[in-house]
Amino acid sequence: MRPLDALVNALPEGRVLTDPDVIDSYARDRTFLEPGKPLAAVLATSRDDVVTTLKWATEHRVPVVPRGGGTGLAGAATAGDGAVILSLARMTAIRELSPADEIAVVEPGVITADLDRAAREHGLMYAPDPSSYEISTIGGNLATNAGGLRCVKYGVTRDSALGLEVVLADGRILQTGRRTMKGVTGYDLTGLFVGSEGTLGVITAATVRLRRAPAAPPATFAAEFGSLREAGAAVSAIMAAGCQPSLMELLDRATLEAIDDWRNIGLEPGTMAMLIGQSDASDGEAVVKRMEQLCVDNGSPFVAVSSSPQETEELIGLRRMAYDAKERLGACLVEDVCVPRSVLPDMIMAIEAAAVRHGVKIATVAHAGDGNLHPVFIFEHGTAEPPPEVWAAADDVFTHALQLGGTLTGEHGVGLLKRRWLALETGPVAQEMQQGIKAVFDPLGLLNPGKAI
């Protein structure tokens, strides 16, 4: 009997897909990367399915590539030759939602926005808010330590992760963390798994922190600027003034043009950047008025303050459609450098300079309040990989971010796309330690090989 037949027989009927055309749809994420030829795809619906798959993989020495909604932008869910894809997208149960303890226990296939909606029925919210919140899964968010639009105030996914249920490479089940808001018993294994991109184990459930939802809709503004530097300076002024926005998003001219070309938003010729900010504080209107003035002080000729929840949704919708608008223009290499907020204007100018120097189209958005920029390098559709000038521009952007005390990735993860730059940030000692951790949890190197480290 073939090894794969043993897996098919061990799982309920319909769990294992072997048709190459069907498998291909599970073998890629949202990057331009072409996958290899996987052996099969497993559509897990329970922890037992995951345990069975990993025990089989260990016995037969078969690589396993875990995946959620396939919305990743770093190649972490791209499957290689001979691998088995392990999809967690059908594990969609919210096992528990406790208003008293302000926690939820969820499976990895739960859509991020669905958890937030369930929490809001109890006056709570799930804070992590990636742009892909309507299609990305909690498991994928945990695997990459996703951030999102609200992270400037509420932090990234790790800040909401209290405990995990993880299936290890050999099929053993590990419980990490706790249900309490604090606890320091032993090493922080929960924090270790969050952001590990499926290289240490497969998350099958998570206990996450919920927060009290704001009593009133947030106050929102949108400010136009004649330059990115002025917009960056306004962000620095807002944060230095202690305004504590719940959202602070920056869109450059290239991004606005892409959106305008798609949705005709009435972009003015002199608008080179837009800053969208929000406050969900009890005095949100006063906070937004203060932020509005700081934008004017730093060169904004026009600031609009929303007067209704509908206007607010329209403004936030501009930011959420940014990546879809860019994908219409060409293939995208999406990066997410993060720098200290005080040097955000310098990083913005460095990205602009790299685009000019190498003749590359770069459209940038940013979670500006925490210094996390997403420069998107756009090149021709159908190209196997980015042309040399795109890689050269990316080299410049990453190098400058590190020189400013920043990092290669704020929330998308390393995946396959950023491995070439890892040594610039981590250094040999950190790399050796990370390889050692990988060997403890996955001694055969079967879990998402070639990713993250």
Side-chain angles (χ1 to χ4, degrees), residues 349-366:
M349 298 305 294
I351 293 171
E352 286 189 314
V356 172
R357 185 162 50 249
H358 298 284
V360 172
K361 186 173 184 62
I362 305 178
T364 301
V365 298

Side-chain angles (χ1 to χ4, degrees), residues 177-178 183-190:
R178 54 200 61 84
V184 293
T185 306
Y187 294 128
D188 181 11
L189 296 181
T190 302

Side-chain angles (χ1 to χ4, degrees), residues 47 67 95 146 188 192 213 221 231 243 249 283 322 327 337 344 357 362 364 385 406 419-420 424:
R47 184 184 71 183
R67 67 175 282 119
R95 297 182 183 176
D188 181 11
L192 177 62
F221 75 89
C243 293
E249 298 292 305
D283 59 343
E327 281 190 318
V337 295
L344 180 67
R357 185 162 50 249
I362 305 178
T364 301
E385 71 166 59
R419 290 186 70 211
R420 67 175 67 199
L424 294 177

Side-chain angles (χ1 to χ4, degrees), residues 26-29 31 33 35-36 38 50 53-54 57-58 61-68 70 72-88 139-140 142-145 167-170 193 195-203 412-417 419 422 434-435 438-439 441-453:
Y26 289 92
R28 57 185 74 234
D29 58 10
T31 65
L33 293 169
V50 176
T53 301
L54 293 183
T58 294
R61 304 298 194 266
V62 176
V64 176
V65 179
R67 67 175 282 119
L73 296 168
T78 304
D81 292 335
V84 163
I85 302 158
L86 179 56
S87 171
L88 292 309
L142 290 162
T144 59
N145 193 25
V167 181
L168 300 177
D170 58 6
F193 277 97
S196 64
E197 301 183 36
T199 61
L200 301 178
V202 177
I203 296 169
H412 291 169
V414 172
L416 288 172
L417 287 178
R419 290 186 70 211
L422 265 182
Q434 291 183 35
Q435 292 290 350
K438 168 74 169 172
F441 286 94
D442 181 23
L444 299 178
L446 299 178
L447 292 178
N448 218 6
K451 315 289 177 58
I453 64 171

Side-chain angles (χ1 to χ4, degrees), residues 128 141-142 145-146 155-162 188 190-196:
N141 294 169
L142 290 162
N145 193 25
V156 293
T157 299
R158 183 178 284 117
D159 298 304
S160 292
L162 298 173
D188 181 11
T190 302
L192 177 62
F193 277 97
V194 177
S196 64

